[in-house]
Amino acid sequence: MSARVPVPRTAKLRAGLVIGGFIVLFGLLGPLVVQDPSRVDDIGLTGPGGGHWLGTTQTGQDVLAQLAYATRGSLTVGAVVGVLTLLLSAFFGIVGAYAGGWVDEAFSLFTNVMLVIPGLPLVIVISSYVPDKSLLLVSLVLSLTGWAGSARVLRGYTLSLRNRDYVLASRVAGERRWRILGVEILPNLIPLLASQVVFAVIFAILGEAGLSYLGLGASGSFTWGTMLYYAQNGLALRLGAWWWFIPPGLLLALFGAALSLVNFSIDEVINPKLRDQTRAARRGWRMSRAQLEKAKEATL
Amino acid sequence: MTTVEARGIGKRYRKFVAVDDVSFTLEPGRTTALVGQSGSGKSTIAKLLLQLERPTTGQILVDGEPVARRGAAAARYRRTVQMVFQDPYASLNPFHSVGHHLERPVRLHHRDLTGPQVRERVLHLLERVRLTPAEEVARRRPHELSGGQRQRVAIARALAPEPGILIADEPVSMLDVSIRLGVLNLLATLQREEQLAVLYITHDLATARHFSDDILVMYQGRIVERGPADEVILNPRHEYTKLLAEAAPNPERRIKNLQA
């Protein structure tokens, strides 16, 4: 099957993909070339220069190396939560709405219950039970508390799709129920699914950073959040060690922005009305100078 | 050659009675028009016949046998009764090509066909509804077609399982006036060729009279008048039918009024 949805190649999409792509590449390849991020050196807190492009932390650890591993860690959390959220929300949202009846009622009730479970207290509770949290556990908790919103969005859209004429037509043609869901309904949900996943990834990376910053994150692993946490503990701000906290903060903000830009572009695919709402698009409707001249001549 | 009979069917949604004690027979080679205003239960009857909804009372008989709910007999019924939907913009999946829309019903109802044979049938169907060049149309997506072309695709899809009964639910009401006649003529030609029993649902008395043999007039879920098309239009007996006939534009009456 070829790409069915025409994706407008806007500047927004391009910028988002380029920035996001660079960060992902850095996370994938960076750890292969940098030194050991935990290696302690007796040079202490030093600024960028010499052997350390981004300087060192209080204990002489290379910030660039830490940043590479932290990028990998944060992206891992994002990817795991993205996939888990996709699976959970698709199952409870789409399947429930399509099956209808008591299945829908039960799934919808469960979704609503999960929606109001607050993530932060849950993680605090879990962290008090599990002393040695892995990155995977944190991702699991984040996805368990994050999928319900998408499930509700997907449920609403599926409810509208399942009664479209073309779905009825394939029932009349004698298609099996699950084939109708997979072949007739699901492809029309792809843009919505994509935007929900992108949103889930942003939510997960920011959420993990927040948890780590509070000291509730995964123990013994590098993420942007843990870097900020250690920078804060090491009084980086008061010591003026900008090279310690600005790089992780900047990458965090940039990656969030990149994914948001991608998401806006997906929104424009789902809802073409949004496409004409930018100033650039509206400027395109104006008459050009030559057309104006012509119109003036015609009216004279 | 199949005959479908609705015997005293009714449908109520909670307290609302959509269809009340309706009986009629669809016979091969005959077109029956079902006329009535919006909300009179016309489309509900279509859904009941298509097994998209179950009647609360009465039953539907195929060649004298009650319709099976599941299993092989239900699949046979699916092949027997097909439908052309009202809105050609909603009845084709925007994600799939025209070819896909025709291929699926062909495959589902003729499981022994090989790939190239299916392909050949799809192209043949497109040619029968005058969509040429068929090769190219099959590759297109619904949004690349006009309303009339889409409705032709929908007709081809309905014909793909080789049904005996075709339900056309206001097949031209969403189309431009200029292309309505073409689509209706196509339906009439196909009906003659295949000896289909057609249920033509409409609220347009003029086309009902022109294209059908019998007319059923529905009002608030009941059939209030029935008979041969000319008879119903020229000598309406029920108040509602008279009202409908009055509302239809009539040039002769208009000229008489102007002369007076």
Side-chain angles (χ1 to χ4, degrees):
Chain A
M1 260 183 232
S2 56
R4 304 297 175 124
V5 191
V7 181
R9 286 181 181 73
T10 54
K12 244 184 251 175
L13 182 65
R14 235 176 283 141
L17 287 179
V18 167
I19 299 172
F22 269 119
I23 294 174
V24 170
L25 271 184
F26 179 56
L28 282 177
L29 305 178
L32 303 178
V33 290
V34 295
Q35 63 174 81
D36 179 9
S38 310
R39 199 178 70 198
V40 178
D41 204 332
D42 57 7
I43 57 171
L45 192 67
T46 41
H52 305 285
W53 289 359
L54 282 176
T56 56
T57 70
Q58 222 167 15
T59 48
Q61 293 159 322
D62 185 49
V63 173
L64 183 65
Q66 289 204 341
L67 194 64
Y69 278 89
T71 305
R72 176 180 277 185
S74 280
L75 292 182
T76 309
V77 172
V80 171
V81 175
V83 170
L84 284 178
T85 305
L86 175 69
L87 293 179
L88 284 171
S89 62
F91 182 71
F92 285 101
I94 301 174
V95 174
Y98 182 62
W102 65 267
V103 179
D104 184 30
E105 292 291 331
F107 279 19
S108 173
L109 180 71
F110 182 60
T111 307
N112 288 341
V113 169
M114 290 307 287
L115 193 63
V116 293
I117 289 182
L120 193 59
L122 185 66
V123 180
I124 295 173
V125 169
I126 289 177
S127 65
S128 61
Y129 275 102
V130 189
D132 215 22
K133 294 187 295 296
S134 67
L135 215 52
L136 207 65
L137 184 78
V138 174
S139 315
L140 209 65
V141 172
L142 281 172
S143 37
L144 279 180
T145 53
W147 62 270
S150 322
R152 279 185 56 123
V153 174
L154 289 173
R155 173 172 179 264
Y157 201 66
T158 311
L159 282 180
S160 130
L161 281 181
R162 71 189 282 251
N163 285 323
R164 298 268 165 104
D165 275 357
Y166 56 80
V167 174
L168 293 182
S170 49
R171 272 175 72 189
V172 169
E175 290 276 21
R176 288 179 189 286
R177 280 173 72 83
W178 297 112
R179 209 190 139 89
I180 293 179
L181 180 62
V183 178
E184 304 292 332
I185 293 182
L186 208 56
N188 288 299
L189 282 167
I190 286 175
L192 195 61
L193 281 170
S195 102
Q196 295 297 327
V197 167
V198 172
F199 179 74
V201 172
I202 301 177
F203 161 83
I205 289 176
L206 293 181
E208 194 280 333
L211 288 176
S212 296
Y213 185 72
L214 294 176
L216 297 166
S219 32
S221 54
F222 288 101
T223 66
W224 291 329
T226 53
M227 275 188 83
L228 290 172
Y229 171 66
Y230 286 118
Q232 152 86 2
N233 269 3
L235 299 176
L237 192 61
R238 199 176 307 166
L239 296 174
W242 55 268
W243 59 89
W244 196 357
F245 60 86
I246 283 189
L250 196 64
L251 280 194
L252 194 57
L254 276 178
F255 196 66
L259 288 187
S260 297
L261 284 174
V262 172
N263 218 352
F264 292 152
S265 310
I266 298 173
D267 282 346
E268 286 174 8
V269 173
I270 302 173
N271 183 2
K273 268 187 199 164
L274 290 174
R275 234 173 274 165
D276 299 331
Q277 295 302 315
T278 58
R279 221 178 295 171
R282 266 184 260 147
R283 208 173 292 143
W285 300 343
R286 285 193 208 145
M287 280 199 275
S288 69
R289 202 163 289 246
Q291 283 173 317
L292 266 176
E293 290 296 323
K294 223 179 201 174
K296 236 180 233 169
E297 272 170 36
T299 49
L300 278 177
Chain B
M1 295 293 129
T2 337
T3 306
V4 165
E5 186 188 350
R7 195 177 284 172
I9 54 171
K11 176 77 187 174
R12 45 170 72 229
Y13 297 99
R14 299 220 168 87
K15 280 197 166 171
F16 177 71
V17 181
V19 173
D20 189 15
D21 191 22
V22 168
S23 304
F24 58 86
T25 310
L26 300 175
E27 285 164 354
R30 282 186 85 77
T31 301
T32 308
L34 187 60
V35 186
Q37 62 188 0
S38 311
S40 61
K42 302 182 308 256
S43 294
T44 308
I45 286 192
K47 280 185 188 157
L48 292 175
L49 282 177
L50 288 164
Q51 303 280 306
L52 290 175
E53 308 252 358
R54 294 177 186 194
T56 32
T57 55
Q59 55 182 348
I60 296 165
L61 308 167
V62 185
D63 293 333
E65 300 278 324
V67 171
R69 282 258 161 259
R70 50 189 73 233
R76 254 202 316 281
Y77 183 82
R78 280 262 174 265
R79 192 178 320 161
T80 312
V81 183
Q82 283 294 317
M83 165 142 165
V84 177
F85 286 83
Q86 175 178 10
D87 184 357
Y89 293 90
S91 68
L92 300 179
N93 193 334
F95 188 80
H96 291 302
S97 69
V98 168
H100 171 94
H101 282 94
L102 303 180
E103 216 177 284
R104 287 306 302 167
V106 169
R107 264 187 208 286
L108 280 166
H109 296 286
H110 308 275
R111 294 201 174 274
D112 46 339
L113 290 185
T114 60
Q117 281 175 314
V118 170
R119 183 88 198 142
E120 196 182 316
R121 252 175 207 260
V122 167
L123 297 181
H124 181 61
L125 280 166
L126 283 173
E127 274 157 22
R128 289 195 61 192
V129 296
R130 324 270 190 274
L131 283 174
T132 47
E135 287 276 356
E136 203 212 306
V137 176
R139 265 198 306 275
R140 292 215 200 148
R141 226 69 82 53
H143 70 86
E144 296 171 286
L145 302 178
S146 71
Q149 288 173 320
R150 285 165 183 239
Q151 200 58 303
R152 284 163 195 269
V153 173
I155 292 170
R157 170 173 63 188
L159 291 178
E162 298 178 335
I165 312 238
L166 188 66
I167 300 171
D169 186 1
E170 305 198 24
V172 294
S173 66
M174 302 288 283
L175 301 180
D176 274 0
V177 181
S178 53
I179 52 175
R180 286 184 183 178
L181 192 65
V183 170
L184 283 174
N185 280 333
L186 174 70
L187 270 176
T189 314
L190 293 169
Q191 183 212 7
R192 268 198 306 280
E193 286 172 11
E194 304 259 321
Q195 283 294 298
L196 292 171
V198 173
L199 181 68
Y200 174 44
I201 299 176
T202 183
H203 46 227
D204 180 3
L205 275 187
T207 58
R209 181 184 171 191
H210 190 80
F211 284 98
S212 47
D213 305 300
D214 302 295
I215 292 185
L216 310 171
V217 181
M218 268 194 101
Y219 185 65
Q220 293 188 342
R222 295 172 161 275
I223 291 187
V224 293
E225 187 155 359
R226 63 170 74 209
D230 285 344
E231 186 65 26
V232 171
I233 303 289
L234 297 177
N235 302 312
R237 283 193 300 275
H238 190 266
E239 281 305 313
Y240 176 66
T241 324
K242 283 181 189 162
L243 201 70
L244 267 180
E246 284 289 310
N250 184 339
E252 284 162 25
R253 194 174 59 216
R254 172 84 178 136
I255 289 168
K256 232 178 261 170
N257 283 350
L258 285 174
Q259 281 168 346

